[in-house]
Amino acid sequence: MITLRKSEERGHANHGWLDSNFSFSFAEYYDPAHMHFGALRVINDDRIAAGMGFGMHPHQDMEIITYVLSGAIEHKDSMGNGSLIRPGNVQRMSAGTGVRHSEFNPSDTEETHLLQIWIIPGQKGIAPSYEEKIFSDDDKRGQLRLVASPDASNGSVLIHQDVRLYAGLFDGDEALEQAIQMGRKLYVHIARGSIEVNGIALKAGDAAMLTHETALTLKQGHGAEVLVFDLF
């Protein structure tokens, strides 16, 4: 079965400096039909104005992944980490028993476009931790590159949940067919561009939820960047 989550159906909030679309219930946006998908709790599609951002704020018992699409975000946290995250970087922060962090767009002129992803951890009360890795466009071109996993396999960042996150870039004749393990389900989010997912044409911001399917097919991409969450 394939269930679609169209871009225009998402929640939306525009604070001037921050323009956000919510795939799942978040803050003032409440949608009982879209609370989570398995352990996937949040995909916020954020556009942050130049020189603006989030001041220090707390998190607890959540796996947080930042995936930058354009521009950059400056991260600082209470663990002493500081980093400038750009497209190609995947940042993972395990909030665990508690952490505070800030995120600012350091540019004076350029907007930052990013995805903020939250995954419910498999265990509460773990020690907070931080990790960041770079995955080149070549790693993702015409294929799905594992970027986050519960065992840090293939150079991916470690997340404390039985979820595997893949990222891929597809254009023109580039295509993929991949089996889905029995008992697993997929959440396919189109970060930008357009592509056919199992024969269904989707555009930026759209998503497809695949349950009881045996395979995933991606083809007819036009500047497509795709995130695929493999969950139980």
Side-chain angles (χ1 to χ4, degrees):
M1 182 175 69
I2 300 176
T3 304
L4 301 184
R5 177 70 156 146
K6 301 296 285 184
S7 173
E8 58 271 18
E9 296 171 354
R10 296 178 297 174
H12 179 246
N14 191 338
H15 302 286
W17 66 272
L18 172 66
D19 191 358
S20 296
N21 287 291
F22 310 119
S23 295
F24 301 97
S25 283
F26 187 85
E28 289 79 23
Y29 168 62
Y30 175 69
D31 183 350
H34 297 94
M35 296 300 295
H36 63 93
F37 184 74
L40 178 59
R41 176 63 186 85
V42 164
I43 301 179
N44 289 352
D45 190 337
D46 291 342
R47 295 179 182 270
I48 303 170
M52 303 300 289
F54 303 90
M56 277 285 179
H57 58 281
H59 290 286
Q60 186 173 348
D61 290 325
M62 194 65 67
E63 301 292 293
I64 300 170
I65 295 173
T66 302
Y67 192 96
V68 177
L69 294 167
S70 65
I73 198 78
E74 185 176 7
H75 167 93
K76 294 181 181 178
D77 64 45
S78 55
M79 295 178 284
N81 299 298
S83 181
L84 192 63
I85 306 162
R86 300 183 183 276
N89 295 43
V90 174
Q91 178 209 62
R92 183 271 303 169
M93 186 174 69
S94 297
T97 54
V99 68
R100 295 174 61 83
H101 77 138
S102 64
E103 296 173 297
F104 277 91
N105 178 354
S107 174
D108 293 329
T109 58
E110 185 180 2
E111 177 184 82
T112 293
H113 183 197
L114 60 81
L115 300 177
Q116 189 74 249
I117 299 161
W118 293 6
I119 295 171
I120 301 167
Q123 178 183 350
K124 292 185 176 182
I126 65 173
S129 60
Y130 178 91
E131 187 179 11
E132 181 185 335
K133 291 191 176 181
I134 299 173
F135 302 92
S136 71
D137 284 358
D138 287 344
D139 285 341
K140 296 175 280 188
R141 174 59 57 196
Q143 60 185 332
L144 290 176
R145 173 63 161 95
L146 183 66
V147 299
S149 70
D151 54 7
S153 58
N154 199 23
S156 60
V157 300
L158 176 70
I159 51 175
H160 299 87
Q161 179 56 277
D162 185 8
V163 174
R164 285 172 170 78
L165 170 58
Y166 299 84
L169 301 172
F170 295 88
D171 206 17
D173 293 333
E174 295 167 343
L176 173 143
E177 182 170 354
Q178 183 168 300
I180 301 174
Q181 184 180 341
M182 185 176 295
R184 307 288 290 188
K185 56 189 178 182
L186 302 185
Y187 190 97
V188 183
H189 179 83
I190 314 306
R192 57 182 161 193
S194 62
I195 195 167
E196 286 187 8
V197 177
N198 286 34
I200 302 171
L202 298 179
K203 64 183 185 304
D206 291 345
M209 291 164 271
L210 280 62
T211 56
H212 307 296
E213 294 287 318
T214 58
L216 168 69
T217 61
L218 300 172
K219 63 181 180 179
Q220 299 297 317
H222 298 279
E225 186 158 6
V226 181
L227 297 184
V228 177
F229 298 83
D230 181 332
L231 314 103
F232 62 90

